[in-house]
Amino acid sequence: MKTIALDHVKIARDSKRPTSLDYIHAIFPDFFELHGDRLYADDAAIVGGVATLAGQPVTIIGIEKGKSIKERNRRNFGAPHPEGYRKALRLMRQADKFHRPIITFIDTSGAYCGIGAEERGQGEAIAQNLVEMMGLSVPIIAILIGEGGSGGALALGVANRVWMLEHAIYSVISPEGCASILWKDAAKANVAADSLKLTAADALSHGFIDKIIPEKDLGSRVFYKDLEKLLRQELVQLAAVDDPAAARYARFRAFGRDAIKEQV
């Protein structure tokens, strides 16, 4: 039976899916977490630090939802505040300074839209990440492991390589939000999900991502070992790129080019 778009949304949101910390601890056992944005606070919705991959130092950043109710509340259900994005940017600047490749794990319904977050510059924090990630001199790999919601996901997704798990989603808005705006009826989320083209297959067909990671054995030791191998291979290839920033810029500038040609 064919999996419809809304089915992918439900699977991506499943509370039993591995979170960013599951990936980090399985692939990077020597991960050392760093905290705080040096401006306001330490946002638990974003974790980041340093580790090694096949002996090579790397910087790891992930959006963490948590698992238990207590943990999810502490992590704000994976909806980062501006200080979370500023912490991520601090670590990315550090990675650039010490020539460490960056790997991000993305799983968020979107950035937190509360009054406090807006007062502390949520939009500016996300925009600053987009600008500075584009110019970093080190390779960046971004992996969408669950939900990839709007600018909250894109703030860690400006990368040389973007991968998605088979049932992950990547969208400018949630299906429910889209349905509420367009049809004033959240019950039409299934129609919105199809229209948004939010599945990994959709993203690959449009060139927004570079690889789909099959979810066979998801969460198992074999799964993490295979992903670790893919990351090692990709970093070797990216090490041969003379100017990762220029390659990254060209990648994003190419989006929509074919669609524009068709219209002309």
Side-chain angles (χ1 to χ4, degrees), residues 55-91:
Q56 179 181 12
V58 292
T59 288
I60 311 297
I61 302 169
I63 302 177
E64 174 65 24
K65 287 183 173 180
K67 292 186 175 180
S68 68
I69 292 298
K70 182 178 180 181
E71 183 71 4
R72 286 189 166 228
N73 276 306
R74 189 172 80 84
R75 304 281 184 184
N76 205 34
F77 294 83
H81 291 79
E83 47 270 20
Y85 292 113
R86 290 177 178 132
K87 173 171 66 174
L89 183 57
R90 178 176 76 83
L91 297 181

Side-chain angles (χ1 to χ4, degrees), residues 9 19 28 45 56 66 68 82 115 140 142 171-172 211 225 229 244:
V9 175
T19 66
F28 311 96
Q56 179 181 12
S68 68
I115 293 176
I140 306 173
S171 176
V172 68
K211 186 190 295 289
K225 282 293 182 184
K229 182 179 179 181

Side-chain angles (χ1 to χ4, degrees), residues 79-117:
H81 291 79
E83 47 270 20
Y85 292 113
R86 290 177 178 132
K87 173 171 66 174
L89 183 57
R90 178 176 76 83
L91 297 181
M92 288 188 282
R93 287 170 175 165
Q94 183 190 83
D96 199 45
K97 178 179 180 180
F98 293 104
H99 311 293
R100 292 194 297 260
I102 299 167
I103 300 171
T104 69
F105 294 94
I106 300 169
D107 185 15
T108 180
S109 59
Y112 186 58
C113 57
I115 293 176

